[in-house]
Amino acid sequence: MIGIIGGSGVYHLDGLTDTHWEKVSSPFGSPSDDLLFGRFNGHPIVFLPRHGRDHRLSPDSINYRANIDALKRAGVTDILSISAVGSLNERLAPGTFVLIDQYIDRTVTRDRSFFGKGLVAHVSMAHPTCRRLSGIIHRAAGEAGIQTVLGGTYLAMEGPQFSTLAESELYRSWHCDVIGMTNMPEAKLAREAEMCYASIAMVTDYDCWHPDHEQVTIEQVIKTVQANAETARQLVKAIIPHIQNDASASACSCRFALENAIITPPEHRDPEIIRQLDAVAGRIFGKR
């Protein structure tokens, strides 16, 4: 099942049927909002408004653990993360869609793991997004006449303020391609939950490094986001059947990320943490 994390411009799809909003509880607290369940051409889909339907949550106040846990409980296996970003690369102009394949995580205040004291796990993040899923998106987009850039490094900043000029230039010197506030720890948590995760980053501006963009304003960002919204909807509609019909999905390495990741011996594992992880790590603990 496909789960889509994004804004209202994404889940207002023509042809979406059998829709209903449903509250999904999580032992990690409250998700950003209820989940919207629906079908597109017979394919089941779940949408989660990352910031809430009224955009009441800033990037640093989102409960990322509850969001991923709720999607896993809803039966989601493949996550499409759609978000607005600033460009740190002259070639990636506003309006460009980038399929992220790497991150540099500069967030500092967020709960970034389902594991911890009492139950320790270390998952691989060498390739932090699902290459299978990103490849499907890239091919499906091309067939639909929608241009996407396959691969790019996303600098995840804490926010909610935009970058200083010095920060923007620093991240450019690190060869980062785009900058955003929401993909971390989202991608890390999806990996821990053994879910395939692909990030579709929609460029809204050139950040403050560009001589024509000395100051990034929210009005500028919103204007470009609105212009991107229709393309995003068309992209989602184009890729859904390709993902649903992918026969190789069940063998994807993302779905076995915890196979050798849990370090704590069984006799020393905190039973309360195991209880909380009934959805996230149920395959490992034999409950799901």
Side-chain angles (χ1 to χ4, degrees), residues 32-53:
S32 295
D33 206 325
D34 295 347
L35 304 186
L36 175 63
F37 291 78
R39 288 183 174 272
F40 183 77
N41 289 340
H43 301 296
I45 311 171
V46 178
F47 294 86
L48 173 61
R50 182 186 281 113
H51 300 276
R53 275 170 282 182

Side-chain angles (χ1 to χ4, degrees), residues 258-277:
L258 292 175
E259 196 65 39
N260 299 299
I262 298 177
I263 306 300
T264 309
E267 64 272 21
H268 295 296
R269 295 172 183 172
D270 186 333
E272 176 59 24
I273 297 180
I274 292 177
R275 185 193 66 78
Q276 289 182 320
L277 296 175

Side-chain angles (χ1 to χ4, degrees), residues 200-263:
I200 303 171
M202 304 183 298
V203 177
T204 60
D205 59 83
Y206 270 123
D207 206 46
C208 60
W209 65 271
H210 198 281
D212 295 333
H213 291 69
E214 290 184 359
Q215 291 185 350
V216 179
T217 66
I218 193 62
E219 290 81 8
Q220 173 189 339
V221 171
I222 290 175
K223 182 179 180 180
T224 310
V225 167
Q226 291 173 341
N228 285 344
E230 179 57 31
T231 302
R233 287 192 290 271
Q234 294 303 318
L235 177 58
V236 168
K237 291 194 288 187
I239 62 184
I240 286 172
H242 290 267
I243 296 173
Q244 295 284 16
N245 296 328
D246 179 28
S248 68
S250 61
C252 185
S253 61
C254 299
R255 303 191 181 186
F256 303 94
L258 292 175
E259 196 65 39
N260 299 299
I262 298 177
I263 306 300

Side-chain angles (χ1 to χ4, degrees), residues 24 102 113 178:
V24 178
Q102 287 295 328
S113 177
V178 299

